[in-house]
Amino acid sequence: MNKPTVAIIGRPNVGKSTLFNRLVGKRVALVDDRPGVTRDRREGNAELLGLKFRIVDTAGFEDEDAVTLPGRMRAQTQAAVDMADVALFVIDARAGIVPLDEEISRWLRQSATPVVLLANKAEGRSGDSGVYESFALGFGEPVPFSAEHGEGLADLFEALLPLIDVATAKIHASEPTPVVERVAAPGSHGDVVDDDADLIDPDYDDDEAPLKLAIVGRPNAGKSTLVNKLLGEDRMITGPEAGITRDSISIDWEWLDTDRARAVRLIDTAGLRRRAKVDDKLEKLSAMDTKNAIDFAEVVVVLLDATRGLEAQDLRIADQIYEEGRAMVFALNKWDTVDNGAPLYQGIRAALDDGFAQVRGVPLLTLSATTGRGLDTLMKVAFDTRAAWSRRVSTGRLNRWFERALEANPPPAPGGRRIKLRYATQIKSRPPSFVIFGTRVDELPESYRRYLVNGLRRELDFGAVPIRLTFRAPKNPFSTQ
């Protein structure tokens, strides 16, 4: 069932993101003393004393021209209020009511969305005067609160409960009655298990689970524009300024494949600059947030600016993704602005294979986030890449390949003593991880390991996904250690 939505509204630096983190129960929104940290709206699942709802953090509301960055941020805030069931209007009780608070209150009174007034930073007695002043905004009795210390949770619960109940009832009334179908249990019709067939991870079903797809890259590569084009709406703030996105924003979405809708969780991230150039605290926090998004993702799209080609920072980003064991796709954005594309593509393809040899042949696509060209191909490749990343190979098929590989190219014999590799097994997927058992495996050269990894990719259909391969020797029962 869908949950009611509560949007947090207020001017900059009143503690909206701290309140968001408090209600979702973890530090996901970036928080800093300076105003204007939050730009795009962030959503999360909140729980308040057993009351469950969807919470939306928004940028600070500012009175600026619509074409400016603050003006575009305000448009996102207005969209959040229009979609919400409740608006949680936050003021700074210590600072008292300022003209911008009054302007926000006039705008909220014109909206059909119910409003709960929350006087934040009201711990101790320092916020008492601001709480009393806030009655003048016309939203009834304010809720004294401290997002930093968690004071006032019970009062906020009482203020939200009746509004959440009304919204929940409306959601119930609008949802269709589910139809339950009986499905025969596997094996009930004499199913035959094929020992050579690839296995499905019992803890994961690619067809049902949302694809966790993160978009990463250097600043101004067009990541937010790509997300907006995929969604079909101006969900993320975009513009000519580099580094607009600061938080990693996840959005649930459905991609319409040829025959069905497939669930996707899109993650837009902040641009990653070379670490030596990052000296601002907030940019460091954004970079850490992007790293967390990579950890969370299944497939990561490394978005390149076709007008700038492949740069060393792109390879650093790719190496970070590889080390985390995530599948990846490279995409050349702004391809509609390129006049002579074939030589550029071939040059980037060659540079990618040479500079990122760990996963030779990683997909390289061309697209335009502005026109929408190539987006369906991107999504199809992303789903196919996740399927390879999640694949398990049967032990029989794996060891038949392993025997052929050893026969075609036997392990070396350093010092005249041959290294013996006995059998292989896959211990996990996501990423595919294998163990090969044998003797004297610590003397196996890296070149032979690469030979086996490349064979796994080529002959067992793993494609260009990270593969973890380790070697183990049986414990020597006569060892004194």
Side-chain angles (χ1 to χ4, degrees):
M1 186 195 76
N2 293 325
K3 298 177 183 177
T5 302
V6 177
I8 304 174
I9 311 299
R11 61 182 175 83
N13 221 31
V14 295
K16 298 184 298 298
S17 293
T18 304
L19 173 62
F20 177 89
N21 289 342
R22 172 70 61 180
L23 293 176
V24 300
K26 51 188 175 182
R27 294 176 64 88
V28 289
L30 298 185
V31 176
D32 195 76
D33 292 336
R34 77 192 79 176
V37 172
T38 302
R39 287 174 172 172
D40 295 291
R41 61 184 192 263
R42 177 193 281 272
E43 300 181 11
N45 291 316
E47 183 170 353
L48 176 62
L49 304 179
L51 187 65
K52 297 180 180 180
F53 50 93
R54 193 80 174 153
I55 191 77
V56 182
D57 186 21
T58 66
F61 191 100
E62 297 187 65
D63 184 19
E64 297 285 348
D65 191 276
V67 300
T68 64
L69 178 56
R72 302 197 299 275
M73 292 160 59
R74 187 182 68 228
Q76 288 289 318
T77 300
Q78 292 172 334
V81 171
D82 292 341
M83 296 172 61
D85 299 294
V86 182
L88 195 54
F89 179 19
V90 182
I91 65 163
D92 184 340
R94 292 181 187 174
I97 301 304
V98 301
L100 188 53
D101 292 324
E102 295 173 343
E103 181 181 341
I104 296 171
S105 68
R106 286 192 292 270
W107 167 64
L108 286 173
R109 281 195 294 271
Q110 297 172 1
S111 170
T113 305
V115 177
V116 171
L117 180 61
L118 186 142
N120 192 31
K121 307 182 185 180
E123 62 270 16
R125 302 186 62 95
S126 58
D128 287 353
S129 61
V131 172
Y132 297 137
E133 283 182 33
S134 64
F135 277 92
L137 295 175
F139 295 111
E141 184 176 355
V143 177
F145 199 82
S146 171
E148 183 69 29
H149 302 286
E151 298 177 8
L153 291 172
D155 293 335
L156 179 58
F157 172 85
E158 291 182 2
L160 286 176
L161 180 60
L163 300 175
I164 295 293
D165 283 346
V166 170
T168 302
K170 290 180 179 178
I171 292 171
H172 272 298
S174 63
E175 288 184 335
T177 303
V179 178
V180 179
E181 297 182 358
R182 295 188 179 272
V183 180
S188 60
H189 300 289
D191 294 343
V192 177
V193 178
D194 182 3
D195 180 60
D196 291 340
D198 286 350
L199 306 178
I200 298 174
D201 190 331
D203 298 324
Y204 196 82
D205 186 350
D206 278 339
D207 285 336
E208 298 297 332
L211 168 66
K212 298 172 184 176
L213 183 66
I215 315 294
V216 305
R218 288 179 279 110
N220 232 23
K223 298 179 295 296
S224 295
T225 303
L226 173 59
V227 170
N228 285 346
K229 196 65 177 181
L230 288 169
L231 297 174
E233 61 174 293
D234 291 334
R235 175 62 176 79
M236 307 299 299
I237 299 172
T238 61
E241 306 92 342
I244 291 178
T245 302
R246 285 174 171 167
D247 292 86
S248 295
I249 306 296
S250 63
I251 305 161
D252 291 327
W253 171 62
E254 284 190 340
W255 173 56
L256 297 179
D257 201 351
T258 52
D259 57 346
R260 57 173 170 160
R262 307 191 70 176
V264 181
R265 175 159 291 180
L266 277 173
I267 310 167
D268 188 20
T269 65
L272 290 172
R273 294 198 301 160
R274 191 158 56 92
R275 187 175 299 177
K277 293 185 176 181
V278 177
D279 53 12
D280 179 72
K281 173 190 172 185
L282 188 54
E283 190 172 357
K284 289 180 180 178
L285 290 174
S286 294
M288 290 175 59
D289 205 31
T290 297
K291 182 183 181 303
N292 291 336
I294 292 172
D295 295 347
F296 174 81
E298 297 168 326
V299 180
V300 181
V301 176
V302 183
L303 200 64
L304 311 178
D305 185 339
T307 63
R308 298 177 61 179
L310 183 70
E311 298 186 1
Q313 175 63 2
D314 298 314
L315 295 176
R316 293 189 190 96
I317 295 170
D319 189 63
Q320 181 178 341
I321 298 166
Y322 175 81
E323 290 300 321
E324 291 299 330
R326 299 299 176 256
M328 77 184 83
V329 176
F330 280 82
L332 277 166
N333 189 26
K334 308 180 185 179
W335 198 248
D336 54 316
T337 65
V338 175
D339 293 329
N340 191 11
L344 174 62
Y345 181 89
Q346 294 301 329
I348 293 176
R349 175 79 270 176
L352 195 56
D353 288 342
D354 182 57
F356 191 55
Q358 301 97 314
V359 188
R360 211 174 266 277
V362 65
L364 175 63
L365 310 177
T366 60
L367 57 85
S368 169
T370 303
T371 66
R373 172 190 167 184
L375 299 196
D376 280 338
T377 301
L378 172 66
M379 293 308 303
K380 184 179 186 310
V381 170
F383 273 100
D384 290 346
T385 301
R386 181 180 70 168
W389 186 66
S390 306
R391 179 175 295 123
R392 276 187 179 271
V393 178
S394 68
T395 302
R397 184 183 177 197
L398 176 62
N399 278 283
R400 280 192 291 276
W401 160 79
F402 184 54
E403 290 171 4
R404 292 194 303 269
L406 295 183
E407 184 178 347
N409 185 10
R417 298 174 60 196
R418 182 165 296 281
I419 297 172
K420 294 182 179 180
L421 302 181
R422 303 193 182 279
Y423 67 95
T425 185
Q426 183 174 2
I427 56 173
K428 65 184 287 288
S429 61
R430 305 166 57 78
S433 301
F434 302 86
V435 174
I436 293 178
F437 294 87
T439 57
R440 304 179 67 217
V441 293
D442 55 327
E443 299 180 39
L444 200 66
E446 178 63 23
S447 59
Y448 197 82
R449 179 190 173 279
R450 288 197 301 269
Y451 162 72
L452 293 174
V453 169
N454 291 336
L456 279 166
R457 286 206 179 95
R458 183 177 60 253
E459 298 189 35
L460 296 181
D461 304 322
F462 281 102
V465 300
I467 287 180
R468 301 290 189 252
L469 180 60
T470 56
F471 298 87
R472 290 182 188 169
K475 187 175 181 180
N476 186 352
F478 301 102
S479 174
T480 59
Q481 295 183 353

